[in-house]
Amino acid sequence: MPAEPSVLMSVPQSLSRSRTSASLDLLRRLFRTRFGGVGLIILVVISALSAFAPWFASSGPMDLGSPALQPPSWQHLLGTDSLGRDVRSVMLYAGRSSLTIGFCAAAMAFLIGGTIGALAGYFRGAVASVLLRVTDLFHTLPAIIIVLFSVSLMGSSFWLQVAAVALAIWPIEARIVYGQFITLSGREFVLAARAAGLSTFHIIFREILPNALPTVIVQVSLDASTAILIEAGLGFLGLSDPTVPSWGEMLNRGQEFLELAWWMSVFPGMAICIAVLGFNLFADGVTEMFNPRASAVAPKLDS
Amino acid sequence: MLRHIAGHMAQAVLLLLSVVVLIFCLLQLIPGDPIQAMVGDMPVPPALRASLEQRFQLNEPFLQRLYGYLVNVLHGDLGYSMNYRRPVFDILAERFPRTLLLAGVGYAFGILIGIAIGIQSAVTPHRSVDRAWSSLVLIGYAMPTFWVGQLLVIVFSIHLGWLPTQGMGPMVSRASGVDWLLERATYLVLPVATYTILETTRVARFMRASVLETLEQGYIVTARQKGLSRREIIIGHVVRNSILPVITVMGYSFGTAMGGAVLLETVFSYPGVGSLMVESVRARDTQVIVGVVILIACSVVVMNIVVDLLYAWLDPRIRVSSRQS
């Protein structure tokens, strides 16, 4: 078959076109997995809902105009809280901080854990054993305990809270990246790069990391869901930043009114559940996409 | 085998020591007056300040203070709570068994049910059964611990009125003997159920993946060709080999269960170490917070040792290889 002339003549254009079609292809493959597409849709929808909260909310997050503790009705779809705020509106605005913590803490955990894991995996030997020991040390303590401890030491302003959550979840990230480096640095293309005399920086960032990407994306996505759950716990204990509404903080307010107003607790909890589910399903989908065996249907026992 | 155990023990002790050192170093980072931080939001009389300075060797060099601190911790001296006006060790000794009861029972139930669901989900010939279990487990996995507790309270305590909402027992009780035990047990039902639900989802997810992996192994094909029945294959070959990886995550998952105690005990106002931690964070009672952190680290490390032993006992390959070395 002769080569299409357009491909030969306009290389940049066809390159950019092939990149879009490649990402479209990735999307198509994600939607072909069991849950991946559902996860992505959930994430996009809740992100959009809270990013454009003013369009979907009937009142601001601090509007106290309505009567307090109204059950769900046509006027207030999810009821009103003890201060007379519309629960649906507060929930939309609260999503902003909960999702921000999820994304930012996961990104920060990736920066800390990824760096440590990559250093340990690339240099091995004494460096690795020291770094892995430190990782183990943090891994021994449950995440919520680390977060509570750091909040009690440093206070709970919004960004300190993000840092505390990242401090609690980076060890898993470090472990995963370390594992990837161990596996990948023995592969032919890395050996070839080394033999060609390419720099350490080039080998780490251009050869190994891109190949570790699917695994890393899965872990960052799971980290985001963990971060949202931890934030919810912190908010529920009344230890999050009191000036920022979040789903956890709404649950804290609801705990007092469990008997009078179940809707103050049930709906924000559902929001957390859906966000976490979105991240987990997305992670599941990506795993399945790159490693179909991991979720292959079980062979029949009695066939 | 002995060497295997001794090696793990030594590692565990080292890990614990480093946790204490890490906590000590973090405490040095608190901005402001360390004595004020220790006492909390209360004025410090000069006499107390002098005695605390001497006790914690605050005027000594860093390494000497660290050494003094380690010696104190090893002697079980975790300091004095300004909030409860009692030694930290005594408070922990009173509260830890309660947490252990709650988390332990929920954890045990969760593992058993989770293993059963994981196997059922992986080996069922009906894809719809697998899908149903998998979806339930996914949803359970996404729910915040304490929210599950709140939902159970709303349904079973408030709407149905079957069970008490919170606490460890009634304020005034006239019951005795078996009645007393039953009365106490009703208070445990909801918190234990919450624990069980969460642990179940965690274990079931893992167990399903592990069973699926086992099913692909050559020895399963061999067993099928030998003409063993489906039941014999599952019980004799699949379960035993699939449980091993699940057991390795049990140690870490125990840590998560202990972490969950912080939130669950707050939901149910259950007086264990979890609610103690929260009360102390609110009261800025640093000595107690540090005590709880060390205690939880200890329990996780001990659990990891137990898991290692269990693993060595279940997996003959480890027994044999450690005997040869």
Side-chain angles (χ1 to χ4, degrees), chain B residues 32-52:
Chain B
D33 179 10
I35 291 182
Q36 191 67 58
M38 236 179 273
V39 174
D41 296 332
M42 280 168 256
V44 189
L48 180 63
R49 174 175 290 273
S51 78
L52 282 175

Side-chain angles (χ1 to χ4, degrees), chain B residues 110-171:
Chain B
I111 287 175
L112 290 179
I113 303 174
I115 287 180
I117 292 180
I119 297 173
Q120 167 71 15
S121 184
V123 304
T124 177
H126 310 288
R127 272 192 84 181
S128 54
V129 176
D130 179 28
R131 285 222 159 181
W133 278 128
S134 296
S135 314
L136 267 183
V137 164
L138 268 173
I139 292 171
Y141 199 67
M143 294 193 291
T145 326
F146 55 94
W147 186 61
V148 176
Q150 286 184 320
L151 289 185
L152 291 181
V153 167
I154 290 176
V155 175
F156 291 101
S157 306
I158 295 173
H159 283 277
L160 296 174
W162 289 351
L163 294 161
T165 48
Q166 47 177 241
M168 206 179 60
M171 292 291 201

Side-chain angles (χ1 to χ4, degrees), chain A residues 293, chain B residues 207-217 219-220 242 245:
Chain A
R293 257 176 51 100
Chain B
M207 189 67 190
R208 177 177 174 275
S210 176
V211 170
L212 286 183
E213 205 164 297
T214 310
L215 286 178
E216 287 181 10
Q217 302 294 317
Y219 53 79
I220 300 294
S242 316

Side-chain angles (χ1 to χ4, degrees), chain A residues 6-7 10-22:
Chain A
S6 67
V7 174
S10 60
V11 175
Q13 199 193 342
S14 82
L15 259 186
S16 73
R17 191 186 301 151
S18 78
R19 191 172 290 166
T20 19
S21 78

Side-chain angles (χ1 to χ4, degrees), chain B residues 90-107:
Chain B
D90 292 2
I91 310 176
L92 291 179
E94 179 188 277
R95 294 220 177 183
F96 187 57
R98 299 175 186 159
T99 299
L100 212 55
L101 173 71
L102 197 65
V105 175
Y107 185 66

